[in-house]
Structure formats: C-alpha cells, structure tokens
Amino acid sequence: MSGQVKRAFKHRFYPTEAQAVELTRTFGCVRKVYNLALQARAEAWALRQERVGYDTTSALLTAWKRTEGLAFLNEVSSVPLQQALRHLQTAFSSFFAKRAGHPRFKSRKKSRASAEYTRSAFRWRDGVLTLAKMSEPLAIRWSRPLPTGATPSTVTVSQDSAGRWFVSLLCEDPNVRPMPVIESAVGIDVGLDHLLVFSTGEKIANPRHEVRARRALAKAQRALCRKQKGSSNRAKARVRVGRIHARIADRRADHLHKITTRLVRENQTLVIEDLSVSNLAANRSLARSIGDAGWRQFRQMLEYKAAWYGRTVIAVDRWFPSSELCSVCGALAAEMPLRVRTWTCVCGATHDRDVNAARNILAAGLAVTVCGADVRPQRNPPGGQSATKQKSPQREPQGSLVHVGKVNQAPP
C-alpha cells in the first residue's frame, strides 16, 4: 500500500482582493455549468428517454460558451468547468448504481462553493501554488508540510459559510502503510447519552458541541432575521452565523478524528452496527441530537482509516437485537424499552444496556470472521418498521445471528 494511497491535505489560505474576485466568479460559473448540464440530461431523458453522458455535456459546454448569454464562461479557467461535468457524471453513476439519490441542482446560498483544478490548470514549484488565470501565488498557511517529494495531482479551492478560504491538495502519501497485525478487537455501540460505548466497558462521553453553542447560535440567528434582505448588514450577520456553525463542525470533526485514530491504532478488528442514520434522523425529537453526535461521520472516518492501515471494519445488521440479547447466556429479553438502562437476565447476570450491546456486537462480528459469512446487511426491514434505534421486528431463536456483513473498505 505504500506510495499508493492518495490523501488530501487541506490548508487555509488568504487570497488577495483580485484572487477572491476571480475565485468567486469561478465558483459561480462552476455552479452554472453543473446546473445547465443537469437540466440538459434531465430533459433528454424526459423527452426522448435518452441518457446523456460526459462527452455530450462537454460538447454542450463548448456551444454554451459561444452564446451571448453565457459568454462569461470564457472569463474563467475551463478546467474547473470540465471537472464539474465529471462530478455530475460521477453523481449519475452513483445514482444508477443505487448508491446515492438523484443529483440535485446547486444553490448559490446552500451549496458548497468550490472549484477543482487538475495539473494543467495550476503550477506547483517548491511549495508555491499558482492557479490558472492568476498572476500571484496563493498565500497558504501551512499547518503541516506535504510528504517529501509529493506533487499535487488535483487542487480544490473552497470557501465555507464563515467566509474562510481553503485549498485541498491531493497527493500520494508514502507514509500511509499497514500497521503491525495485533490480536485485539472491539465492539462499538453508538448512542446519545454516551457517544460511544466499547465492549471493554469504556464509555466516551457525548460532548454535545451544538448544545454548548446553542445560545450563541440562537442570538446570531435572531440578529440575522432582523436584518433587511439584500443589505450588507444581513450579509455580515449571515457570516457570523456561519462562523458559529463552522466552530461546531470543527470541534466535532477534531473529536471524532482523535477517537477513530486511537481505535484504529489499538485494534485489529472493529465491529459496529450498520445503522441507517437517515431513517433515525426522521425522528424529529432526536434528529438534532443525532446530527450533533456525528454517527455517519464517525463511521466514514473509521472505515477509511482502517483501509489505510490494514485494519478490518465489520458491520453487524441493524436488526440484530444487540441490546436485548444476554451476552452471557444468549437469552433474549422479551422487551427492552429505551428507558431501561440496566437489566438482569434470567441467568442472574446484570447488564449495563450499552456495554451489553457492544459485547454482543463484537461477538456477532467475530462470528463473521470465524465462520466466513459474507451476507449483505439487510437494507429493508420486514414490514417497513421504523424505530428510534432499530430492533429486530421478528424474534429469532436465542443466540442466532442474522444478516451480518462485512463493510466494503476503501479510502475516500
């Protein structure tokens, strides 16, 4: 794996006024081209049942540049516009493969402002980066150096809702290599009271970053609502709201990075539940807390770090009754409402609900590695049942294991 893993190094930079204007114009053109191509593909399918690919949209882009209304597309580098078409093609490929929903139009206010440059559209020399259509290099604040001898293959420039500018450089990182094989394994149960509970009995507290910033966020949002639409004061108030959201997101990501890195370093096998976070977030009373916990982000980090360093991540089916099954004797409890945090089995063993669930998750995952099962996790629950945290809608015999699968491991 050494020298084969591509890793993005994200740094903040401070553009000059001219660079900010050029990049803002590029963001708008990228968004425009993406939306035009999406509309063209949608109309081709609706009117003629025709699938339009990247080659066709690339030809359309050339034609659009020749029209009077879209002549402004010639003012920016053509590479980010072509990359937008490639990203749209990737989005449709994921949609047809049923890995994602149908691509949606990009909004100026809600969509991420970014532009991607390939090698032909930037110059990299001795750690100095200059983008196409710019005479001066970017003033990058290097928080950490790139790997020795690394040369970026693509560069992505973006601006967040807080007004901060970032540049992400995709490079091959020779420092990413498999770690020595160890024997330890851990089962992980996610929750809201405690963010994570391990089969070892350790519990990671939920920092609740959004809750801690809720008062300041509410104050900033009220101030935003009082500003006149279209005014410069409203734009400033929107940035203040964005800064609070950015601070929350940064703290959450930092916390999850530290936890996932530690888990990957200390364990060879990591077993988690294959939860459907989108379905769980449909519960309006818990959606805000689930989003604040960052369950999906935790799993994504765990999977790509495990793939980098030669670890194994196994996902146990979401309908496996991990909380209701006794980890000592295998007896299945009749009912287990969420308010029950400790319970005693018929065999006399007293369980902490979350620790018991983590131990059962670990046992189920290890059964996959021992028995060689490779069954895909069940995506559609029988009867269409929806629950706050999924429980098996149909009871299985005591000690049985159903729908346990191994996660596809790949770097992001």
Side-chain angles (χ1 to χ4, degrees), residues 55-317:
D55 293 337
T56 304
T57 54
S58 181
L60 287 174
L61 175 59
T62 303
W64 293 334
K65 289 182 176 181
R66 294 172 180 169
T67 63
E68 183 178 355
L70 297 175
F72 61 87
L73 296 177
N74 293 292
E75 299 176 3
V76 303
S77 173
S78 62
V79 172
L81 307 185
Q82 294 289 346
Q83 289 299 100
L85 299 180
R86 292 188 177 93
H87 293 162
L88 180 61
Q89 178 64 33
T90 302
F92 269 104
S93 298
S94 298
F95 168 67
F96 292 134
K98 297 183 180 181
R99 294 191 303 267
H102 191 279
R104 295 183 292 182
F105 291 98
K106 292 185 179 293
S107 166
R108 182 175 65 86
K109 293 183 179 180
K110 297 181 180 180
S111 299
R112 178 173 178 259
S114 66
E116 185 176 274
Y117 296 78
T118 58
R119 290 294 302 273
S120 61
F122 67 86
R123 184 171 68 253
W124 172 263
R125 185 176 300 169
D126 298 329
V128 178
L129 177 67
T130 306
L131 300 179
K133 300 285 186 179
M134 295 183 186
S135 57
E136 299 180 14
L138 299 183
I140 302 176
R141 297 293 177 87
W142 297 100
S143 56
R144 55 178 174 172
L146 295 184
T148 304
T151 300
S153 57
T154 61
V155 170
T156 302
V157 181
S158 61
Q159 186 183 28
D160 66 6
S161 59
R164 302 178 300 177
W165 295 86
F166 294 95
V167 57
S168 179
L169 302 98
L170 186 65
C171 311
E172 286 191 354
D173 189 357
N175 299 321
V176 176
R177 58 176 63 91
M179 293 181 177
V181 178
I182 55 180
E183 298 296 330
S184 59
V186 65
I188 307 169
D189 181 61
V190 299
L192 296 178
D193 186 20
H194 290 89
L195 179 62
L196 301 171
V197 178
F198 303 146
S199 55
T200 58
E202 180 184 357
K203 297 183 178 181
I204 303 296
N206 187 354
R208 305 181 187 273
H209 300 289
E210 190 271 339
V211 174
R212 292 161 55 189
R214 188 168 295 178
R215 177 176 294 181
L217 181 60
K219 182 178 179 180
Q221 288 173 330
R222 287 195 298 268
L224 173 62
C225 292
R226 290 194 294 266
K227 301 298 185 290
Q228 183 178 357
K229 291 186 177 181
S231 66
S232 59
N233 284 336
R234 186 176 179 87
K236 295 176 183 177
R238 183 181 295 113
V239 170
R240 283 193 288 270
V241 174
R243 286 174 181 169
I244 298 175
H245 280 296
R247 190 182 306 119
I248 295 171
D250 289 346
R251 289 173 175 173
R252 180 185 301 120
D254 178 71
H255 187 241
L256 293 178
H257 269 300
K258 291 175 180 176
I259 294 174
T260 52
T261 299
R262 175 198 153 193
L263 286 172
V264 168
R265 285 177 177 173
E266 296 179 352
N267 300 279
Q268 181 66 34
T269 303
L270 305 104
V271 189
I272 58 177
E273 280 186 295
D274 182 45
L275 297 179
S276 175
V277 180
S278 299
N279 291 343
L280 295 174
N283 186 328
R284 296 181 61 182
S285 62
L286 295 177
R288 194 169 187 176
S289 298
I290 291 174
D292 189 23
W295 291 348
R296 181 182 285 112
Q297 190 177 10
F298 166 77
R299 176 168 176 173
Q300 290 172 345
M301 289 182 180
L302 195 67
E303 288 181 354
Y304 79 71
K305 290 179 182 180
W308 281 356
Y309 299 110
R311 303 311 198 196
T312 302
V313 176
I314 300 174
V316 175
D317 182 72

Side-chain angles (χ1 to χ4, degrees), residues 13 15-30 76 113-115 117 131-132 134 138 157-159 165-166:
F13 76 99
T16 63
E17 185 176 351
Q19 289 174 339
V21 171
E22 176 65 25
L23 289 173
T24 302
R25 184 187 299 117
T26 302
F27 294 160
C29 292
V30 167
V76 303
S114 66
Y117 296 78
L131 300 179
M134 295 183 186
L138 299 183
V157 181
S158 61
Q159 186 183 28
W165 295 86
F166 294 95

